Each structure stands twice: as C-alpha cells, then as structure tokens.
Amino acid sequence: MLEESLADAWLIAGDEPLLVGEAADAVRARARAAGFSERELFTTDRGFDWSELLTSSQSLSLFSERRILEVRMPTPRPGKEGGAVLARLAADPPPDTLLLVLTTRPQSETYSTAWFKAFEKRGAVVLARPIEISRLPRWISERAARHGLAIDAEGAALLAERVEGNLLAAHQEIEKLALLHPQGKLGFEDVRAAVANSARYDVFQLGEAALDGDAARSLRVLEGLRAEGAEAPLVLWAICRELRGLAELRAHPGASPGYGRQAERRGALLRRAVARMAGQPLEPLFVSAALADRQIKGLGRGDPWTSLTAIVAVLAGALPALALAA
C-alpha cells in the first residue's frame, strides 16, 4: 500500500501494540521521505477538546512545512463531536497535511460509523490483527530471518509456547537471540537456554484452548493464570461462558454467539467443540462449576482450583465428562 501511494489520511487500529507501532512507523517514514517534516501529536483522553484538533488542522504551519497530525485514541469511540471532526478531516484533509489516527481494535459498531467509512473511502485503513497461536511459530521464524537468524521448527515452537501470544515479548526475545547468536542457526536447545518465560495469560485464551480441544495448552494457561495471581471467580466465569455457549448451540444449532467482531472465530470453536463432545453430557460440567463456585465462597469443601482443573480437562477432551462425578 505504501509503495503505491501515500494517502492523506491513515487509520491504524488493533490490539497488538507491536504491529500497530510498526505500521505507524512505516507511515511516518514514508511521510518524512515525502517532505512531511513537522508532526503534531494529540491524545484523546477524557475531556479532550476536539476543536483543538480542528483548529490546528486549519492553521498554517509556522514555516509552511508539510506536517503530520497524529491522533492517538485509547478506544475507537471518538463520540459524536470527535467522529464528526475525524470524518471531516479524513474526507478532506487540509493541504500539505497528513492525518494519522492510531487506536485499538474496532468494535462491531465502528465499521458503520461515518468517520470510519470516511477513512475507508478517502484514506487508508490498516487493521493490525492478532497472530493466531497456530501461526505464531511461522511468524517467529520469519521475524527472526529479518535479524539474520534461522530458527528451526522446534525452536520456533518453543518460543511461541513461552511467549503465549505476546508478540511484543516474542519480538524482544528475538532481538536478544540476535545479540547472542548473530547470523546464526538456532535449534531447540539454543532457544531454551536463552529465552525467559514471557507468557501473558488471560481467561479468553483459556476458553479458546479448551474449546479447541487443546488440553495441553488449556491446562498450561490455567496453571499460568493461577501462578500470576488470577482471581478464581474470573476464571470460573470464563469457563461458564464457554459452557453456556456449548449448551446454547446444542439446543439451537443455528444460534450465533453474538460476540461482535470475534463472533465468527468463537462460533467456529463452539461448533467444533459441540461436534467433538457429541453424546457427552454437559450436566456434570455445570454441577462441577457450581461446586467450584461454592468452594470459592468458602461454602464447600475442597480446593476450587482442583475443580477448575478438572472442568477444563473435560472441556478440552483430556477426561470424559463422567469423570467429574467420580
């Protein structure tokens, strides 16, 4: 896209700071090469006055230089006033001005807003999508090649496991490996000796791994959550979310999960889980979840984390549902 032309308005959005930052760096570099030597930065925190951005866009540069107006939005919700300003600037940027907007992943309603459509029609939209866990080893190998490193498949898989989807952590580990092994070939042992455990676990990863039938990963994420001090009620909520989704899809096969932009991926995981668990009762899972809830509240005997582990093992296919009743 940048090789073809430099648009007057850019929207870069996503929840991966590394990918958003690199895309923004590429736009800035291309803009500097085109003579945009001045840059004004705006952060739209609470109380931000959008008229300041509009006024600045209409004022002439002190030295009549081409400039970048960079807007950083914590969320893709600029509000009525902000949306109107962005739509106006994206549709008709001032002369010698490039508009660069950075924000997090668009929500489902974002795509129908006038300001987003203005960027799509007159400017350029770059969506920095997360790298799926199955594609992460390949991404690591390709990223390492930029540093002159050749990481074999086992080494890349180990690094992917250690960083658990954290692209920034993976990037940092690759840079460290490049310093330790300049222009070298790396195998499993080289990676294991060099990398730290930079995993970033969250309850949504737990649910995805369990629905996907990846027992090893789901139990590893559960243990990581426990080690990092995650609250058991939050973990139980995430597990129950998937159980309710399974029950709903069993009862209504054509139902949609209804989780916005992630609905398609979540729906695919739920459908695979329904097919995988065909014939297995879900009631023991709900009974165990109720037990874990009582244990968390101090109303039942036993360790809630033991109960949570058993539920995840069954949901991921490592144990039959009847094992919970034992």
Side-chain angles (χ1 to χ4, degrees):
M1 186 182 294
L2 277 173
E3 289 77 6
E4 298 173 1
S5 63
L6 180 63
D8 294 326
W10 289 80
L11 172 63
I12 302 176
D15 287 336
E16 287 293 347
L18 175 68
L19 301 183
V20 170
E22 289 184 340
D25 287 342
V27 172
R28 294 189 199 103
R30 178 71 169 80
R32 284 195 297 270
F36 289 85
S37 56
E38 188 177 337
R39 176 167 162 253
E40 296 181 41
L41 179 62
F42 301 87
T43 301
T44 64
D45 49 13
R46 182 171 296 181
F48 176 73
D49 186 355
W50 284 94
S51 64
E52 292 182 10
L53 174 62
L54 190 58
T55 299
S56 180
S57 70
Q58 295 171 339
S59 63
L60 295 176
S61 172
L62 182 61
F63 302 102
S64 298
E65 294 179 339
R66 308 184 82 184
R67 59 182 176 161
I68 300 173
L69 294 182
E70 183 170 325
V71 182
R72 298 182 181 179
M73 295 196 301
T75 69
R77 298 186 180 91
K80 184 177 181 180
E81 181 186 4
V85 171
L86 291 177
R88 175 177 172 178
L89 294 179
D92 187 22
D96 295 323
T97 299
L98 183 146
L99 177 64
L100 174 61
V101 178
L102 311 179
T103 190
T104 52
R105 175 175 55 87
Q107 305 301 309
S108 56
E109 63 272 15
T110 305
Y111 298 92
S112 60
T113 60
W115 69 268
F116 187 90
K117 290 182 177 179
F119 276 96
E120 284 188 313
K121 185 176 181 180
R122 301 292 181 86
V125 177
V126 178
L127 299 179
R129 304 184 186 280
I131 305 297
E132 293 183 8
I133 197 71
S134 60
R135 294 180 53 236
L136 188 54
R138 180 177 178 180
W139 182 89
I140 286 172
S141 296
E142 293 173 350
R143 179 61 60 115
R146 299 183 188 179
H147 294 267
L149 296 177
I151 300 181
D152 67 16
E154 289 186 348
L158 174 62
L159 183 52
E161 177 183 313
R162 292 293 181 89
V163 300
E164 192 65 41
N166 187 339
L167 296 189
L168 184 58
H171 173 69
Q172 292 170 342
E173 293 293 354
I174 290 170
E175 288 189 326
K176 183 170 71 175
L177 287 169
L179 291 174
L180 296 173
H181 304 273
Q183 304 295 317
K185 295 183 178 180
L186 302 180
F188 179 88
E189 292 300 329
D190 298 309
V191 174
R192 185 172 68 172
V195 302
N197 191 338
S198 303
R200 179 183 62 189
Y201 299 100
D202 65 53
V203 292
F204 296 105
Q205 291 175 340
L206 174 64
E208 286 189 0
L211 288 178
D212 204 26
D214 191 337
R217 180 175 175 243
S218 58
L219 292 173
R220 185 174 67 248
V221 171
L222 179 63
E223 183 58 32
L225 286 167
R226 184 178 185 179
E228 292 175 359
E231 296 292 337
L234 179 61
V235 176
L236 178 61
W237 169 85
I239 293 173
C240 289
R241 173 177 179 260
E242 311 308 350
L243 292 178
R244 287 192 294 269
L246 280 174
E248 177 68 18
L249 200 57
R250 272 193 179 184
H252 307 284
S256 170
Y259 280 82
R261 189 66 174 172
Q262 301 300 317
E264 184 176 346
R265 171 173 170 75
R266 175 173 164 76
L269 288 171
L270 283 169
R271 285 190 291 273
R272 287 205 296 269
V274 167
R276 176 170 52 81
M277 299 179 69
Q280 295 189 44
L282 294 181
E283 184 179 358
L285 289 159
F286 283 102
V287 171
S288 292
L291 172 61
D293 182 58
R294 293 195 300 273
Q295 291 170 333
I296 290 171
K297 296 174 180 176
L299 302 177
R301 294 182 178 180
D303 176 21
W305 286 98
T306 300
S307 298
L308 293 172
T309 300
I311 298 170
V312 170
V314 171
L315 187 57
L319 291 174
L322 294 178
L324 294 172

